[in-house]
Amino acid sequence: MSISGALSSAMQGLRAAGRGSEVIASNLSNALTPGYGVRSLELSADTTATHGGVKIDGVSRLVNESIVHDKRIAEAGQANASAILDLYIKIEDLLGAPDDPASLSAQTAQLEKNLITAASRPDAPERLSTVVASARILANTFNEASDGLQKVRTTADRTIELQVDQLNNALLQVQELNAQITKTQVQGNNSSGLLDLRQRVIDEISVLVPVRTVARDNGQVAIYSTGGAVLLDSLAAEIGFERSNLVTPYMSESAGTLSGLTINGIAFRTGSSSGVLSGGSIAAQFEIRDEIAVEAQAQIDALARDLVERFQDPAVDPGLAIGDAGLFTDEGNFFDPANENGLAQRLVLNAAVDPDQGGETWRLRDGINAAGPGDVGDATLLNNMISALSTGRVSSSGIFSGGSYSTIDLTSTLTSHYGAERLNAEQIQSFSATQVTELTERLLSEGVDSDQELQKLLLVEQAFAANARMVQAVDEMMQTLLRI
């Protein structure tokens, strides 16, 4: 080998060693960076030169796409499960625990207790006032539970708008990154940094919507939801949604009073079981707004209906005619069974017995429609009210239909039902979180191996030293020749 050939080979070796140390340093410094793909320097023999040498072919980015995909699906599931769990915790808070004095069951029990106390001394005005106060609080508790559910639905509607905007922006960002990656690769430059960034953006998308990616030419990718929607293929899709300022019990997507989703102007399903974007955070908000909270409202309405119907029965108060409202009313009116939706929000104590509405408490004892006070010692109506609360009755709607329940049994059944739903949601969320943790650990285990990188660094150091010694030897030979 000629001196010039040896020097050229040594310089190639030094460049390769220098580039190798850069790659190793990048790997070590990004060992825990989300979305970072391990870099590997690709070298080959330089067959174009007569003196041999080493050629740098480029830097490869190594990622286990299968684990990345599984982790994205798991993260979407965790986001979905966490949102659903938060809702069930909220519903439990609205209903209250049995030992909570502000809960529905506790307020119902308190009304029954106060009626028993009043029946023992029907002539005592303060005891009648206590019954009115507890009945008013019970009605307000129903109102607050219903209002809380509608606030949950309104918040979900607002969250959908924010997350749809986030999804649209992320899709446009991936579209731009696709173009940059293609340009970089066509120019023969390293696109690893852009690939890392694109992976992080797609990871963000997958929390909102579970997705799968399909490789396209020149380093580009297409993105599809697992439900079959095309989110990006060359161009990003535009997801459409219109927020409502306030969601009420009477609003729904099927009625056209709440917005669904559109993709490039075409309406798509949003149901939890068949929605094209099902499984992620956006789908969870639709499930909250259109399914779970609506179902919870229906159950509370069914409980309110049972309470109203017990007291508007003429058998409880013989002074009531057909069509007259009882102790609890539908905004002051007789309850129409065809208008059950939203009853809990409209539940009001009858003004005839409520001093705050101009009524008189003695009508609890003498009858809702009584024109004047009767026998102050007659506790018949008060005892009828006690029986109305404690007697088993077949509920007309809700999860209670088919069984015979007292009022306190109904409230306990509803509270237990949502307690069980919350426990089930906790199990699903815990499983999802564990799955994400396991897949994250697997992805990290196939990522940067610090020990291996340090071993590579030792080899690079040795190669650098060997090539540097070759340059030094060539220099010494040149100096010797010049001295001759």
mmCIF file of all heavy atoms in Angstrom, residues 28 84 127 132 169 209 359 404:
data_model
loop_
_atom_site.group_PDB
_atom_site.id
_atom_site.type_symbol
_atom_site.label_atom_id
_atom_site.label_comp_id
_atom_site.label_asym_id
_atom_site.label_seq_id
_atom_site.Cartn_x
_atom_site.Cartn_y
_atom_site.Cartn_z
ATOM 1 N N LEU A 28 -26.901 7.461 24.257
ATOM 2 C CA LEU A 28 -26.805 7.510 25.721
ATOM 3 C C LEU A 28 -27.578 8.695 26.296
ATOM 4 O O LEU A 28 -28.233 8.575 27.334
ATOM 5 C CB LEU A 28 -25.336 7.589 26.142
ATOM 6 C CG LEU A 28 -24.510 6.312 25.929
ATOM 7 C CD1 LEU A 28 -23.032 6.583 26.187
ATOM 8 C CD2 LEU A 28 -25.023 5.182 26.821
ATOM 9 N N ILE A 84 -63.800 7.249 32.009
ATOM 10 C CA ILE A 84 -65.023 6.567 32.446
ATOM 11 C C ILE A 84 -65.024 6.384 33.964
ATOM 12 O O ILE A 84 -66.053 6.586 34.624
ATOM 13 C CB ILE A 84 -65.166 5.198 31.744
ATOM 14 C CG1 ILE A 84 -65.243 5.374 30.225
ATOM 15 C CG2 ILE A 84 -66.379 4.456 32.268
ATOM 16 C CD1 ILE A 84 -66.392 6.211 29.746
ATOM 17 N N ARG A 127 -92.892 20.488 64.361
ATOM 18 C CA ARG A 127 -92.617 19.170 63.784
ATOM 19 C C ARG A 127 -93.081 19.109 62.329
ATOM 20 O O ARG A 127 -92.421 18.488 61.491
ATOM 21 C CB ARG A 127 -93.299 18.078 64.612
ATOM 22 C CG ARG A 127 -92.773 18.025 66.045
ATOM 23 C CD ARG A 127 -93.197 16.767 66.762
ATOM 24 N NE ARG A 127 -92.682 16.755 68.121
ATOM 25 C CZ ARG A 127 -92.712 15.710 68.944
ATOM 26 N NH1 ARG A 127 -93.244 14.560 68.513
ATOM 27 N NH2 ARG A 127 -92.230 15.785 70.167
ATOM 28 N N VAL A 132 -91.502 19.574 56.350
ATOM 29 C CA VAL A 132 -91.444 20.394 55.129
ATOM 30 C C VAL A 132 -89.996 20.686 54.755
ATOM 31 O O VAL A 132 -89.610 20.595 53.581
ATOM 32 C CB VAL A 132 -92.240 21.699 55.321
ATOM 33 C CG1 VAL A 132 -91.969 22.673 54.170
ATOM 34 C CG2 VAL A 132 -93.729 21.415 55.417
ATOM 35 N N ASN A 169 -54.879 19.405 14.662
ATOM 36 C CA ASN A 169 -53.545 20.026 14.627
ATOM 37 C C ASN A 169 -52.447 18.967 14.534
ATOM 38 O O ASN A 169 -51.462 19.137 13.811
ATOM 39 C CB ASN A 169 -53.339 20.893 15.870
ATOM 40 C CG ASN A 169 -54.216 22.127 15.877
ATOM 41 O OD1 ASN A 169 -54.612 22.623 14.814
ATOM 42 N ND2 ASN A 169 -54.535 22.642 17.042
ATOM 43 N N VAL A 209 -57.318 8.913 19.824
ATOM 44 C CA VAL A 209 -57.970 7.926 18.957
ATOM 45 C C VAL A 209 -56.988 6.777 18.746
ATOM 46 O O VAL A 209 -55.863 7.020 18.286
ATOM 47 C CB VAL A 209 -58.327 8.529 17.584
ATOM 48 C CG1 VAL A 209 -58.998 7.482 16.701
ATOM 49 C CG2 VAL A 209 -59.197 9.761 17.733
ATOM 50 N N GLY A 359 -97.254 28.723 51.221
ATOM 51 C CA GLY A 359 -98.133 27.662 51.703
ATOM 52 C C GLY A 359 -98.180 27.575 53.214
ATOM 53 O O GLY A 359 -97.585 28.396 53.931
ATOM 54 N N SER A 404 -90.386 -5.183 43.910
ATOM 55 C CA SER A 404 -91.163 -4.364 44.831
ATOM 56 C C SER A 404 -90.213 -3.757 45.860
ATOM 57 O O SER A 404 -89.516 -4.480 46.571
ATOM 58 C CB SER A 404 -92.226 -5.225 45.525
ATOM 59 O OG SER A 404 -92.989 -4.446 46.416
#
